[in-house]
């Protein structure tokens, strides 16, 4: 007689799918303002829709990465409690729209994202707004050095995947500060995918087959680095980075807060533990996810739902009835 597999009850098993409801709501609401040119209105619409859905989720969450301090953001601010208050505590990282400008201008790759990990396991960046980042797939994670020439890192990826460097694509935020970095990539012979905004999606692309991106490099937001690390914990990729000060005043604030500007941070430093959840819903069309579609009597969303403990990654197409769905009436 064959053995029957015993399934152990898992009280957290539905959390990953519950979080998708929040990103779907934010994506639907803010996408109604796509192309209107007002990024602040886009952000406000996403926050307004996400907050009530998060409040209904069975969890006891604390926002670690959010919309800023309480006096600047009325909802989803750092330190705010979210969820219905039941069960163990969780750290929450949230960006209702990673790419407000992208949405306002009808440009690709805007997403609504949300990461969750057990309380006390998520890195809080304090005054450190920016960080240097290098994101690579897991199969070369132990071979990369943040300070090594990019040509060396690209050569390792090419060798591991049996390709030439000229067949690799590097994602980089399109910013003046990356002029030298872009020159190095071109000199090495790799292709470049410029990101107009939103490097959370770029980090996920770098470790997801089929997106056409093999690596992400450059200086981007530290909160986005933590959110990206939540996804990488689930996908098996690696982020290595270092906090960056923009000026002497910010440097002093970072040092006074107890951070080490020389320390190389890893994915594990940004999000520790093995029970991390991540959800994302496309707002505008991109290489990672399709954007929100408004059709006759239904709204279509495309989302990712991930959990690090199981390694499960779900691609979810949501079909919402505008007359009945709780998500589309907020």
């Amino acid at each position: 007689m064959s053995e029957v597999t015993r399934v152990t009850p898992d009280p957290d098993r539905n959390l990953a799918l519950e979080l998708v409801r929040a990103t779907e709501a934010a994506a639907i609401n803010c996408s109604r303002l796509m192309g209107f040119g007002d990024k602040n209105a886009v952000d406000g619409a996403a926050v307004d829709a996400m907050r009530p859905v998060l409040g209904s989720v069975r969890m006891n969450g604390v926002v670690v990465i959010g919309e800023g301090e309480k006096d600047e953001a009325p909802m989803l601010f750092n330190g705010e409690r979210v969820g219905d208050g039941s069960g163990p505590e969780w750290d929450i990282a949230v960006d209702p729209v990673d790419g407000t400008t992208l949405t306002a201008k009808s440009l690709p790759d805007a997403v609504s994202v949300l990461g969750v990990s057990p309380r006390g396991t998520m890195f809080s960046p304090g005054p450190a707004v920016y960080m240097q980042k290098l994101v690579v797939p897991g199969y070369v994670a132990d071979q990369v050095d943040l300070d090594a020439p990019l040509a060396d890192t690209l050569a390792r990826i090419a060798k591991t995947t049996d390709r030439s460097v000229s067949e690799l694509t590097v994602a980089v935020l399109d910013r003046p500060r990356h002029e030298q970095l872009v020159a190095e990539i071109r000199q090495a012979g790799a292709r470049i995918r410029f990101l107009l905004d939103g490097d959370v999606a770029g980090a996920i692309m770098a470790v997801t087959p089929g997106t056409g991106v093999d690596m992400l490099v450059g200086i981007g937001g530290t909160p986005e680095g933590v959110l990206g690390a939540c996804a990488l914990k689930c996908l098996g990729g690696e982020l290595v980075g270092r906090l960056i000060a923009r000026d002497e005043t910010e440097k002093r604030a970072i040092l006074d807060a107890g951070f080490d500007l020389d320390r190389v941070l890893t994915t594990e430093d940004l999000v520790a533990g093995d029970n991390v959840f991540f959800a994302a819903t496309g707002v505008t069309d991109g290489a990672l996810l399709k954007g929100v579609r408004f059709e006759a009597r239904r709204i279509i969303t495309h989302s990712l739902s991930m959990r690090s403990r199981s390694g499960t990654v779900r691609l979810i197409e949501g079909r919402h009835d505008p007359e009945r769905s709780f998500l589309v009436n907020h």
Side-chain angles (χ1 to χ4, degrees):
M1 181 182 294
S2 61
E3 289 190 18
V4 176
T5 301
R6 185 180 298 276
V7 179
T8 304
D10 181 356
D12 302 330
R13 69 187 185 281
N14 290 326
L15 184 54
L17 297 177
E18 284 292 290
L19 297 176
V20 170
R21 294 177 56 240
T23 57
E24 285 176 337
I28 290 170
N29 210 38
C30 75
S31 70
R32 297 179 184 278
L33 298 173
M34 187 178 75
F36 277 56
D38 188 341
K39 69 175 186 177
N40 292 327
V42 167
D43 187 57
V47 173
D48 288 346
M50 178 177 279
R51 182 61 181 85
V53 178
L54 277 180
S56 70
V57 176
R58 292 180 57 81
M59 67 175 181
N60 186 3
V62 179
V63 177
V64 175
I65 303 291
E67 291 289 287
E69 300 302 326
K70 186 174 183 178
D71 58 347
E72 295 291 336
M75 290 189 290
L76 298 179
F77 54 83
N78 297 347
E80 182 180 2
R81 292 272 176 176
V82 294
D84 68 357
S86 64
E89 290 190 326
W90 299 90
D91 284 344
I92 310 293
V94 57
D95 194 345
V97 192
D98 182 35
T100 54
T101 299
L102 300 179
T103 307
K105 294 184 177 181
S106 299
L107 297 172
D109 295 326
V111 292
S112 175
V113 291
L114 182 60
V116 174
S117 67
R119 184 68 176 139
T121 61
M122 193 174 287
F123 182 81
S124 179
V129 177
Y130 285 99
M131 68 184 299
Q132 177 186 2
K133 304 174 192 177
L134 171 63
V135 178
V136 295
Y139 54 76
V140 291
D142 60 349
Q143 302 177 43
V144 298
D145 181 343
L146 185 62
D147 298 315
L150 273 177
D152 293 351
T153 303
L154 287 165
R156 291 190 181 100
I157 295 175
K159 182 178 180 180
T160 304
T161 58
D162 194 26
R163 289 181 288 172
S164 66
V165 170
S166 64
E167 295 173 325
L168 301 180
T169 302
V170 182
V172 183
L173 278 171
D174 189 8
R175 300 290 186 272
R177 63 178 178 264
H178 291 148
E179 183 177 344
Q180 180 57 39
L181 183 63
V182 168
E184 290 181 38
I185 297 169
R186 287 172 173 164
Q187 186 173 7
R191 306 190 307 167
I192 299 174
R193 177 180 177 127
F194 285 107
L195 303 175
L196 300 176
D197 211 345
D199 62 350
V200 176
I204 300 173
M205 289 180 208
V207 301
T208 303
T211 63
V213 174
D214 302 287
M215 181 171 73
L216 176 137
V217 293
I219 296 173
T222 308
E224 288 82 1
V226 176
L227 273 160
C230 290
L232 297 176
K233 289 284 288 191
C234 303
L235 293 167
E238 183 62 70
L239 182 154
V240 288
R242 182 183 290 117
L243 301 179
I244 298 291
R246 292 174 291 180
D247 52 41
E248 285 301 315
T249 300
E250 190 168 278
K251 179 178 181 180
R252 177 49 52 195
I254 293 171
L255 294 175
D256 288 347
F259 295 100
D260 182 355
L261 289 171
D262 295 322
R263 179 186 176 190
V264 174
L265 299 167
T266 65
T267 302
E268 188 67 21
D269 293 320
L270 297 176
V271 187
D274 67 347
N275 196 23
V276 179
F277 299 87
F278 182 84
T281 300
V283 178
T284 61
D285 283 348
L288 184 64
L289 290 165
K290 293 180 182 178
V292 177
R293 298 280 196 277
F294 292 92
E295 299 183 354
R297 292 183 291 280
R298 69 176 185 176
I299 301 170
I300 309 297
T301 57
H302 293 88
S303 304
L304 283 171
S305 171
M306 315 182 200
R307 187 183 187 186
S308 67
R309 177 169 289 176
S310 63
T312 302
V313 178
R314 290 183 171 91
L315 298 172
I316 301 170
E317 180 179 279
R319 300 183 180 185
H320 312 276
D321 185 334
E323 298 298 323
R324 294 184 292 173
S325 175
F326 172 77
L327 298 179
V328 300
N329 288 296
H330 284 81

